[in-house]
Amino acid sequence: MSEQEQAQPTNPASPSIISTPFPKGPAKKALENKLLTRLTKGELIAKNIITSDTAPNLHHSAKAFERKRTSDALASKLKNRPTADDLMNANIIKGFFFKIRILFKNFQYIGLLLQNLI
């Protein structure tokens, strides 16, 4: 096999890096300027563009895991949350005023529904 045949990619759908032409002239200067002015990894983290030093393929998994953990913690707290009756019995909230506030919110909701119907 000759050197030219070895340099050619075996799969025509995936060109090799070697066969990709490098920009010349003004395009080369523009590319060099962009590369010189691009932010470092530390600056990207500081500006919250990327979140951490994790690999990009692990970043999505780490973010999904964090979201699931937060969701589970919130669900656990809401499940153990005291009811309004428990709070009224403990004199944390007053029953009469609490019920009036709920009724007021319901009237506001009904008012919005009526406005949308008219």
Side-chain angles (χ1 to χ4, degrees), residues 2-72:
S2 70
E3 289 181 31
Q4 280 185 334
E5 290 173 351
Q6 288 178 353
Q8 295 296 327
T10 56
N11 184 357
S14 62
S16 69
I17 296 173
I18 297 170
S19 67
T20 305
F22 193 78
K24 296 179 183 174
K28 182 178 179 181
K29 285 288 186 188
L31 179 61
E32 287 174 349
N33 288 336
K34 291 287 184 179
L35 289 175
L36 289 175
T37 59
R38 87 175 169 181
L39 300 174
T40 64
K41 190 173 187 177
E43 292 169 334
L44 292 173
I45 292 171
K47 291 186 175 192
N48 214 13
I49 296 171
I50 58 174
T51 55
S52 66
D53 288 333
T54 58
N57 57 350
L58 296 177
H59 177 71
H60 179 71
S61 299
K63 192 145 183 114
F65 175 74
E66 182 65 29
R67 180 180 289 257
K68 178 70 173 152
R69 191 172 57 139
T70 304
S71 175
D72 290 346

Side-chain angles (χ1 to χ4, degrees), residues 93-104:
I93 58 174
K94 304 294 182 201
F96 176 74
F97 294 110
F98 179 76
K99 290 178 182 176
I100 287 182
R101 192 175 84 200
I102 296 296
L103 286 173
F104 181 73

Side-chain angles (χ1 to χ4, degrees), residues 76-114:
S76 173
K77 296 289 183 185
L78 288 175
K79 187 176 181 182
N80 297 328
R81 181 179 173 185
T83 64
D85 290 333
D86 293 339
L87 295 174
M88 283 187 271
N89 292 339
N91 287 328
I92 296 173
I93 58 174
K94 304 294 182 201
F96 176 74
F97 294 110
F98 179 76
K99 290 178 182 176
I100 287 182
R101 192 175 84 200
I102 296 296
L103 286 173
F104 181 73
K105 285 186 178 184
N106 288 340
F107 282 125
Q108 284 180 327
Y109 179 70
I110 291 170
L112 288 173
L113 287 176
L114 289 176

